[in-house]
Amino acid sequence: MKLNIEVAESLTELKEFLANTILKSNFELSQLRLSDQDEWGLFDGALSHKNQGFFHVNGLKHTKTEEEHLVLFQPQSALTGLTLCRHNKTAYVLLQARIEPGNTNIGQYGPTIQSTPANYLSLHGGSPTPYIQMFNTFNSQVRVIENSMQLDIGKRYFQKSKSHIYVETKGLAETDQNMIWASFPAITEAMVEDNFLNADLRSLLAIFNWDGFLHYSEQSLCSEPSMDFLSQLITGKQLKPQQWDLIPVTQLTRWKVTESGIEDIDNSGVSICLHRTVCQGREVKSWVQPLMRASNQGLVRLLMRNFDGEIQFLLSLKGEFGISGEQTILPSYVTYPGESLEDKALPIGATIRSEILQSDEGGRFLQHESLYQVIQINSEYNLEDDQYWVNAYTLKKILSTSNQVSFQLRCVVSLILPILNPVTFEL
């Protein structure tokens, strides 16, 4: 019997497959009042699903300053993974044309697996998650390559990480519904498309050592590590006592629970609304869930320069209240969706090297977009106290660590993969 194997060798073929998947999904999204449904409600002060198996919407308050935030609490780590295959002298990646209620453009390509325990353990009562056995069960035809834990969005989740797992198959496996093998050249083309590859897929692509996988190159970037940054990273990771407490959303003063959801009454920039989604091709065909929305677009910038013949990138070591230890490695500049944009003028003489619009996870956020920019500067730049120039070798090394690098940095790094993997991209 002939296997059904969908393959895309170009961006055009990826676009056609995604468009057909969206069309077949019969996607519908409608906003609900709390009283229009009985699946989500206030349980012990949090907006939660009645079976307590998904995520919760909570308040967060500082124990001393009483600063407060609206956050998502999902203590179970999500599983995100890529299945790779070396075939015809290139790499192929098994992608999912993923329809999510909060996606800009409805559909975006996601990784092979992007699933919470509630999904892959079928707590929702739906169909099994395709390909989960490649990641959690022994299979002689599958080789595990790499596994790390990575921080989720530090001002939206409270202390949440997700696993990034990479496996390799000995041949192109049969493709299930909405799945397609994309060649590495096709994915490279797709990198610069707005809202086409989802944020989790960009994260997985960014931290992987493509030179090592495709060319067995242990050190394609011949350079010394940026010791000033690494020293500060080690000494600056303060083991602060936990100073934030989860509290009932009903105790927040800047938000109010109403029939419409959780309303922003103090111009915080974020709110929660309930939506019903209808979508064919998902484990469950119809469901209700809260989505977080922001009042405006965010901005993420990674500055780069040539210094003494070496390419360097400007990183920031900053605190985020949702991160354990409250320190993470961010790009040069980050303003979250919903936050007021500070002076966003480019530095004098700077040029935009690459730029995309990218929405965050469509299963939790409604068109929660940021503009991602890689900016080349050619003049002196006034550093803040917590900013450091690092070379490409150091950046690639820290990307391979667990629970250090922010989601935004991983996403923007997807735009500079040719610099971090020069053998693969033949720079």
Side-chain angles (χ1 to χ4, degrees):
M1 183 176 66
K2 185 177 179 181
L3 295 178
N4 176 37
I5 302 177
E6 292 280 358
V7 179
E9 301 284 359
S10 67
L11 176 60
T12 299
E13 291 174 331
L14 281 176
K15 287 184 174 181
E16 290 175 354
F17 186 83
L18 181 59
N20 288 334
T21 302
I22 293 172
L23 185 63
K24 290 186 295 185
S25 72
N26 296 319
F27 176 81
E28 296 178 17
L29 182 68
S30 55
Q31 189 170 336
L32 302 176
R33 298 181 304 169
L34 275 172
S35 59
D36 290 337
Q37 52 82 51
D38 60 2
E39 295 182 38
W40 290 79
L42 292 175
F43 297 92
D44 200 20
L47 181 61
S48 306
H49 192 269
K50 61 185 179 182
N51 72 8
Q52 299 289 297
F54 295 92
F55 64 97
H56 312 272
V57 184
N58 280 82
L60 191 68
K61 179 176 281 190
H62 196 278
T63 57
K64 295 181 179 179
T65 66
E66 297 193 346
E67 177 186 346
E68 60 180 32
H69 299 278
L70 185 67
V71 295
L72 306 180
F73 180 52
Q74 186 175 357
Q76 310 93 343
S77 294
L79 192 162
T80 54
L82 281 185
T83 300
L84 312 175
C85 180
R86 281 177 280 212
H87 181 72
N88 290 340
K89 297 182 179 181
T90 190
Y92 287 80
V93 184
L94 185 57
L95 303 182
Q96 181 182 24
R98 192 172 178 86
I99 313 300
E100 293 277 19
N103 277 347
T104 302
N105 300 337
I106 300 176
Q108 298 179 18
Y109 278 105
T112 314
I113 288 287
Q114 181 182 329
S115 183
T116 63
N119 284 334
Y120 63 75
L121 296 176
S122 297
L123 295 184
H124 46 48
S127 57
T129 300
Y131 304 100
I132 186 66
Q133 295 85 355
M134 287 184 174
F135 297 88
N136 67 1
T137 305
F138 171 73
N139 185 329
S140 61
Q141 301 301 305
V142 177
R143 180 174 74 98
V144 178
I145 305 171
E146 195 172 302
N147 188 349
S148 67
M149 294 298 295
Q150 298 296 334
L151 299 172
D152 218 312
I153 307 173
K155 290 186 179 181
R156 294 292 181 260
Y157 288 100
F158 182 62
Q159 296 193 8
K160 180 174 180 247
S161 295
K162 58 181 63 177
S163 60
H164 276 20
I165 306 177
Y166 305 81
V167 300
E168 181 184 12
T169 59
K170 293 183 177 180
L172 296 179
E174 188 169 10
T175 46
D176 206 329
Q177 185 180 21
N178 300 351
M179 306 296 293
I180 188 168
W181 287 99
S183 70
F184 198 73
I187 291 175
T188 302
E189 286 187 271
M191 289 287 191
V192 294
E193 294 287 314
D194 292 341
N195 288 311
F196 190 69
L197 308 180
N198 77 10
D200 278 297
L201 177 55
R202 286 189 176 277
S203 175
L204 282 153
L205 293 171
I207 70 173
F208 190 63
N209 182 8
W210 294 102
D211 277 359
F213 177 68
L214 289 173
H215 304 283
Y216 303 101
S217 173
E218 294 184 2
Q219 187 172 329
S220 59
L221 297 169
C222 298
S223 184
E224 295 296 323
S226 306
M227 295 307 299
D228 55 342
F229 173 79
L230 294 177
S231 174
Q232 185 59 34
L233 176 62
I234 294 170
T235 60
K237 189 72 172 179
Q238 299 176 20
L239 298 176
K240 295 181 180 179
Q242 178 53 252
Q243 299 186 82
W244 294 93
D245 288 337
L246 289 170
I247 63 171
V249 291
T250 50
Q251 292 182 12
L252 292 171
T253 61
R254 302 177 64 195
W255 291 268
K256 181 180 180 181
V257 179
T258 70
E259 271 290 286
S260 299
I262 303 176
E263 292 188 8
D264 179 10
I265 60 174
D266 193 34
N267 296 320
S268 73
V270 293
S271 58
I272 295 284
C273 292
L274 277 172
H275 292 78
R276 181 180 298 280
T277 303
V278 176
C279 181
Q280 303 300 312
R282 290 294 300 267
E283 295 95 337
V284 175
K285 310 306 179 188
S286 175
W287 68 94
V288 173
Q289 69 169 94
L291 290 171
M292 182 177 282
R293 60 173 58 181
S295 57
N296 57 270
Q297 199 176 82
L299 178 63
V300 177
R301 283 176 170 168
L302 179 64
L303 271 58
M304 60 180 292
R305 69 177 183 180
N306 288 304
F307 184 76
D308 288 342
E310 181 180 64
I311 296 176
Q312 295 183 336
F313 302 94
L314 185 63
L315 303 184
S316 302
L317 282 172
K318 292 184 181 292
E320 291 193 315
F321 51 79
I323 300 297
S324 180
E326 295 186 46
Q327 179 177 274
T328 185
I329 307 172
L330 292 157
S332 316
Y333 176 87
V334 176
T335 295
Y336 271 72
E339 295 180 344
S340 59
L341 290 174
E342 300 171 9
D343 180 14
K344 56 182 179 179
L346 292 178
I348 296 174
T351 57
I352 298 174
R353 179 176 175 132
S354 189
E355 179 179 84
I356 58 162
L357 273 174
Q358 182 65 55
S359 59
D360 288 311
E361 182 186 354
R364 298 291 180 269
F365 306 98
L366 182 63
Q367 298 182 10
H368 188 268
E369 282 189 331
S370 292
L371 178 66
Y372 284 80
Q373 297 177 323
V374 177
I375 296 174
Q376 179 96 39
I377 66 170
N378 300 307
S379 58
E380 290 296 320
Y381 184 80
N382 293 324
L383 300 183
E384 298 176 14
D385 291 340
D386 52 9
Q387 291 186 314
Y388 301 85
W389 287 105
V390 303
N391 57 28
Y393 175 81
T394 303
L395 177 56
K396 191 169 183 177
K397 284 293 184 182
I398 65 170
L399 287 167
S400 68
T401 63
S402 286
N403 283 342
Q404 296 278 6
V405 179
S406 72
F407 208 112
Q408 293 91 339
L409 180 54
R410 302 196 305 272
C411 280
V412 77
V413 162
S414 69
L415 299 176
I416 58 165
L417 283 183
I419 298 174
L420 300 187
N421 297 274
V423 178
T424 297
F425 291 88
E426 298 180 353
L427 286 185

